[in-house]
Amino acid sequence: MSAARDEPRFLVDRMLGTLTRYLRFMGYDTESAHSIRPGNAREDTILLKRAEQEGRILLTRDRELARRGGDRAILVTGAGVIDQVGQLAGRGVIEPELRMTRCSLCNEPLRAASAAQIRGSAYAPEKRDDLVFLWCRPCRRLYWAGTHARNIGKRLSEEFGKE
Ligand SMILES: [Zn+2]
């Protein structure tokens, strides 16, 4: 896999929580407006400023915010997450492939889980032979390439697969 130098990074508004998780499952560095306290009247301005400072593409369902963001913003129009992913893939912004390199909850890059972390997790599957386990340190959360990830991967390859 090539280095992350040309990878787009995203900042996503509150309306697009599912898209945020999908982008993280696809390995994209994706921050959410949820990190801003709700009810802040200046939220739009904060988002625009942060996108610019951090070199992130702002994804929003808000037409006015997209307009203010200019080149740095994309108005996301799809009704469901697959349409939204399709819109970004269609514009060549992302490669819709499951990579499981980031925590879908907090955006932290995942690292290989230790045997103790796997053992210590109440919800790790019993049959582990051909599973790859990953660990999010801030969330203390175990991930594995199992059912949930496979379903998302399958959905993406059905929709966007190149075969
Ligand atoms: Zn996490």
Side-chain angles (χ1 to χ4, degrees):
M1 201 185 306
S2 62
R5 68 201 143 89
D6 292 332
E7 294 263 296
R9 299 155 77 228
F10 299 103
L11 180 60
V12 183
D13 80 12
R14 286 174 198 279
M15 307 290 289
L16 295 166
T18 307
L19 180 61
T20 299
R21 285 193 296 111
Y22 268 65
L23 289 169
R24 289 172 180 164
F25 275 125
M26 289 184 263
Y28 293 102
D29 177 346
T30 306
E31 291 293 345
S32 162
H34 285 286
S35 59
I36 301 169
R37 197 154 40 81
N40 189 321
R42 294 181 64 250
E43 180 162 309
D44 284 6
T45 303
I46 293 169
L47 287 175
L48 289 167
K49 196 164 183 176
R50 182 163 177 207
E52 188 176 330
Q53 280 170 346
E54 298 180 7
R56 295 180 184 273
I57 299 170
L58 181 60
L59 302 178
T60 181
R61 286 183 93 65
D62 182 326
R63 209 165 278 281
E64 171 62 14
L65 180 56
R67 191 194 60 73
R68 285 178 66 192
D71 286 350
R72 186 161 289 296
I74 295 175
L75 179 67
V76 177
T77 53
V81 70
I82 290 296
D83 288 343
Q84 294 161 2
V85 168
Q87 183 191 350
L88 297 177
R91 292 176 58 154
V93 179
I94 60 167
E95 281 290 331
E97 278 173 7
L98 182 70
R99 286 192 288 172
M100 286 269 296
T101 49
R102 280 177 190 276
C103 178
S104 64
L105 297 180
C106 78
N107 196 42
E108 183 79 6
L110 298 175
R111 46 191 82 203
S114 70
Q117 286 161 346
I118 297 169
R119 260 200 318 276
S121 168
Y123 54 85
E126 290 290 318
K127 277 184 60 116
R128 300 172 183 176
D129 298 349
D130 46 0
L131 298 180
V132 176
F133 287 92
L134 300 159
W135 180 254
C136 175
R137 208 154 55 169
C139 297
R140 305 191 57 75
R141 188 170 200 262
L142 187 71
Y143 282 84
W144 63 92
T147 321
H148 184 60
R150 263 203 290 270
N151 287 344
I152 289 182
K154 196 161 161 259
R155 210 169 159 201
L156 291 173
S157 61
E158 277 168 11
E159 295 285 339
F160 307 109
K162 294 176 184 113
E163 294 141 275

